[in-house]
Amino acid sequence: MAGNKSYTIVEYFGGDDGYRCGYCKNEKGNFSHGMWSHTMTVQDYQDLIDRGWRRSGKYVYKPIMNKTCCPQYTIRCHALKFQPSKSHKKILKKISKFVSKGELPKGQDDGEPMDSVCEEAGPREPAKVCQSEVKCAASIDIQKEVAECPDSTEVQKEVADVAPADSEASRKDPVSVTDGRTTATAPKPGVGADASRPPCRKAKDLRKERRLQKEQMRQDADGVSSSPTPSQTNQPKPLEDFICESLPDNSSHCLEFRRFLCDSPLEAEYSPDGPEMGYGSFHQQYWLDGRIVAVGVIDILPTCVSSVYLYYHPDFASLSLGSYSALREIAFTRQLQKQSPKLSYYYLGFYIHSCPKMRYKGQYRPSDLLCPETFVWVPIERCVPHLENSRYARFNQDPDAGDARVLKDVGRALVLYRRTVMPYVAYTRKRKGPGDETEVQQYAGLVGQDCAERILLYRA
């Protein structure tokens, strides 16, 4: 992206007023700083989301973490190290079963909370936009793409994986069942282990042994005489294998995926060391038997794929398309990393520990949360204990650490004034009217040094 002359142009709105919270439904508890983005480079947005910002259409917002009712922590998953959990595998098998056999689960999965995009961020229209200076594009229009499913519902990818890693029943005391009633059984006295019988073995080990025996029998039948190596037997099955499991030729359905550039404030950019399709915002369309059933919106940025939101047809809610699309996007991130080595993270938006239904994002591991004060990434395992004690928490435990990228000289912040780009110190000599230094200082502190020295802050 070297030599790119494009600018990011924003209008800062502040964050004094409270809005309705889409999570706890508090009418005035949601506080966030907001900006309207007329145009934005992918590098600037990458730097912004690494400081806790997030976009909804052209509106870019940053929760006021120590003030809002439900603090929202930026979360990223290490896509290259990701291994699907049991609940993730269950979802992938459910999709595979539907495609191959046509069996659609009945009812909607209880773990698919419908989170409102519109309620979480605050205002959507720029109250101070000067139309003569900057053209504000309309919101994303995908009517042409969803013409075949007009009942599509716009939702965020808020799909909880509620299945635990291990069964709760397995941790309970032994029980016996008689006439439908559960009663505890007292241990009987004995003389210890029978020395004439082989020692007891774990069911897990027995299953592994049977699996290896079947594999050996298959190889013998094929004329192959080779035993699996430890690396082969112990290596976990990668995500791609679960997604791309072979389907029979006579499958009941055909599932396809297509990608298209979509309208957003992010400008499409290309780089020799970047992905072939370039950077920017894309629609990922999910087609079932020639009919579009879901559309995911993602941003491809210099170091990550950022999930924005998902539309899906309500008739297929029982397929857990939210979780399935997240797994597909993680696999897509791994694919892009082969073309662009530094692009290795998958951003899931915000993690909200105070809202139990929103904790599912923490199951996409390994993952990190962004410290709201120092803007460093901290493994989620170290963050959760702090969030159990307090809704708002500083994750960086170094008391001397601060914001390393704070802009100390507000005069260096760039502004767009009367169609001219200038540093704020030059703007203060030209402007007429009341001073706005406090507002500009607040804005510069929120976006950080890198962005303040690149992004154009629009001043009427």
Side-chain angles (χ1 to χ4, degrees), residues 55 140 142 145 260-266 280-283 296-299:
R55 80 175 184 90
I140 295 175
I142 65 164
E145 287 94 339
F260 296 92
L261 276 169
C262 63
D263 182 32
S264 89
L266 299 184
S281 298
F282 293 81
H283 281 151
V297 179
I298 61 171
D299 294 330

Side-chain angles (χ1 to χ4, degrees), residues 84-97:
S85 66
K86 290 183 179 180
S87 57
H88 296 150
K89 295 174 185 176
K90 183 178 179 181
I91 290 169
L92 293 171
K93 290 178 180 179
K94 179 166 58 175
I95 294 286
S96 179
K97 189 175 183 180

Side-chain angles (χ1 to χ4, degrees), residues 156-314:
Q156 266 195 322
K157 196 179 287 82
E158 312 298 3
V159 187
D161 297 321
V162 295
D166 54 347
S167 172
E168 182 181 353
S170 66
R171 298 192 296 270
K172 295 182 179 179
D173 295 332
V175 296
S176 63
V177 180
T178 306
D179 297 332
R181 295 188 297 271
T182 302
T183 56
T185 58
K188 296 181 179 180
V191 293
D194 187 348
S196 63
R197 302 182 63 181
C200 294
R201 300 173 61 188
K202 292 183 178 180
K204 179 180 179 182
D205 295 334
L206 292 174
R207 290 195 299 268
K208 182 177 180 180
E209 181 177 320
R210 287 195 295 267
R211 187 166 61 250
L212 294 176
Q213 289 174 348
K214 290 180 180 179
E215 177 66 20
Q216 185 63 48
M217 292 173 62
R218 185 189 66 79
Q219 292 179 352
D220 292 342
D222 294 338
V224 179
S225 179
S226 62
S227 58
T229 63
S231 61
Q232 292 174 324
T233 58
N234 297 330
Q235 188 69 24
K237 192 174 181 179
L239 172 63
E240 290 80 359
D241 286 358
F242 287 102
I243 291 178
C244 301
E245 283 183 335
S246 60
L247 296 172
D249 295 334
N250 59 344
S251 294
S252 298
H253 298 289
C254 176
L255 188 63
E256 300 176 84
F257 303 91
R258 306 176 190 175
R259 296 186 180 90
F260 296 92
L261 276 169
C262 63
D263 182 32
S264 89
L266 299 184
E267 294 189 356
E269 298 181 18
Y270 298 89
S271 172
D273 60 349
E276 292 179 0
M277 64 190 63
Y279 301 101
S281 298
F282 293 81
H283 281 151
Q284 288 196 311
Q285 299 179 350
Y286 295 72
W287 291 78
L288 181 66
D289 302 331
R291 177 190 183 192
I292 191 168
V293 295
V295 179
V297 179
I298 61 171
D299 294 330
I300 301 179
L301 304 175
T303 64
C304 76
V305 169
S306 175
S307 174
V308 183
Y309 45 78
L310 175 79
Y311 304 84
Y312 65 80
H313 198 292

